[in-house]
Amino acid sequence: MTNDLSDRTILLTGGTSGFGRVAAIDLAQRGATVAVVGRDESKGATLTEQSEDFAGTIAFHQADLASQSTIRSLAATMKREYDPIDVLAHNAGLSAGSRRESPDGIEITLAVNHLAPYLLTHELLDHLRDAPDPRVVVTASDIHRRATLDLDDLQLTDEYDSLDAYARSKLGNIAFTVELDDRLPEDSAVTVNCVHPGFVPSTDLFREASLRTRLLVRIAGLVPGVATSKQAAAERLQTLLVEPTYGSMSGQYIGSDGPVDPAPEATNKTVRRRLWRMSAELVGITPDWPTSKPN
């Protein structure tokens, strides 16, 4: 891995626990400035204190990514405090045990896992473009292969299953990645990729899931060869964030051995364009983005 990251500023959501926390520490130890976004202030404070002797720094920014107004405020803060941002890493995620809605009336898993990356990227993309090697990276999952995007019931109002909601959101992550890459102007230096970190049962991801789902995750984690360690998942994420290979590759779904084909629905142009328009409507922006950067 690249050892000197003293010239990199990385915004990492979901960096206070699990493999996101491991990645934040590794990046800061190699000199990066890491802006970690999370909900838990005590975890954030502990992480910041831990980084005091690192070559780089970790700064914690408290934000509830279920709230669109909070995301907009967070973006404004990021633009004030970091110029430029080299990497925007969407790693926050949750799996809700039962259907509930965000402050904006959006099903919570969709709001945090899909709409938050969509809106935060919209708010920060122009700022990101000022970096010499600008990247957007989204943490997806191979669980997307079990999902189908019902665009007539995107928020699962008819029948709710926590694992289905999570799998759909990960399918949405990949569709967003492919569509954003397709929409970026030809002269854009920004790359956008998504990554399957592996099955990491030791994270807090399923903290809100049903008892049945938590038991299934625990059992699956005991099967030899199935689980991925937090360190291995963190290293896979970091590869996309800083390694040269992914500075010239875009629109890809990355597995353990490099780019792999996601489920066909994730790359279906009709599906991903409709999802893009619906996402824009849900967060109150025009779907006609991105555009060429003004001179």
Side-chain angles (χ1 to χ4, degrees):
M1 281 194 176
T2 304
N3 289 322
D4 183 8
L5 300 177
S6 57
D7 61 344
R8 308 289 178 91
T9 297
I10 299 166
L11 194 167
L12 174 64
T13 70
T16 58
S17 62
F19 67 88
R21 184 185 183 91
V22 175
I25 290 171
D26 286 352
L27 291 164
Q29 286 177 331
R30 290 189 280 155
T33 297
V34 187
V36 169
V37 177
R39 294 186 305 167
D40 192 316
E41 289 193 64
S42 62
K43 288 183 179 179
T46 301
L47 185 59
T48 300
E49 290 172 9
Q50 187 177 350
S51 71
E52 289 178 354
D53 296 326
F54 292 171
T57 60
I58 296 176
F60 174 69
H61 300 270
Q62 196 278 332
D64 179 3
L65 296 176
S67 165
Q68 293 174 21
S69 63
T70 299
I71 292 170
R72 289 183 167 92
S73 295
L74 173 67
T77 299
M78 296 298 101
K79 285 187 278 191
R80 281 196 311 270
E81 298 191 9
Y82 304 99
D83 187 20
I85 295 170
D86 296 278
V87 181
L88 174 55
H90 300 291
N91 183 61
L94 64 76
S95 176
S98 59
R99 191 186 186 282
R100 68 178 196 275
E101 295 184 348
S102 73
D104 305 292
I106 308 295
E107 188 276 313
I108 195 75
T109 305
L110 177 71
V112 172
N113 294 4
H114 170 65
L115 291 180
Y118 182 90
L119 179 57
L120 190 56
T121 303
H122 172 270
E123 297 296 303
L124 289 177
L125 186 60
D126 281 347
H127 193 67
L128 196 73
R129 285 166 163 170
D130 292 330
D133 180 19
R135 307 184 188 192
V136 177
V137 175
V138 186
T139 298
S141 171
D142 232 28
I143 202 172
H144 82 275
R145 299 186 189 279
R146 64 163 282 167
T148 297
L149 280 173
D150 181 356
L151 296 177
D152 294 321
D153 186 24
L154 188 61
Q155 299 193 52
L156 290 163
T157 56
D158 288 342
E159 216 174 304
Y160 187 84
D161 177 87
S162 61
L163 203 56
D164 283 347
Y166 179 72
R168 285 189 187 193
S169 73
K170 297 293 102 179
L171 180 57
N173 287 157
I174 304 171
F176 164 70
T177 298
V178 176
E179 182 65 14
L180 176 57
D181 175 65
D182 194 42
R183 287 171 174 261
L184 284 166
E186 290 185 9
D187 61 351
S188 175
V190 178
T191 60
V192 52
N193 293 293
C194 54
V195 60
H196 169 52
F199 171 56
V200 192
S202 56
T203 68
D204 291 336
L205 175 62
F206 296 100
R207 62 188 178 275
E208 298 184 18
S210 65
L211 177 61
R212 174 179 174 273
T213 296
R214 295 199 306 272
L215 286 173
L216 287 173
V217 169
R218 181 171 296 182
I219 291 168
L222 297 174
V223 178
V226 171
T228 303
S229 70
K230 287 190 285 188
Q231 183 63 48
E235 289 175 1
R236 193 178 298 182
L237 174 61
Q238 289 177 81
T239 298
L240 270 75
L241 301 184
V242 299
E243 293 306 309
T245 299
Y246 295 103
S248 58
M249 184 183 298
S250 192
Q252 300 298 309
Y253 176 57
I254 310 301
S256 58
D257 298 316
V260 294
D261 291 332
E265 190 172 356
T267 59
N268 182 288
K269 184 175 290 189
T270 301
V271 171
R272 56 185 167 86
R273 289 191 171 177
R274 187 178 172 196
L275 176 63
W276 184 277
R277 292 192 299 270
M278 293 176 70
S279 301
E281 183 177 351
L282 288 170
V283 300
I285 63 173
T286 174
D288 299 327
W289 74 280
T291 58
S292 296
K293 186 179 178 182
N295 293 326

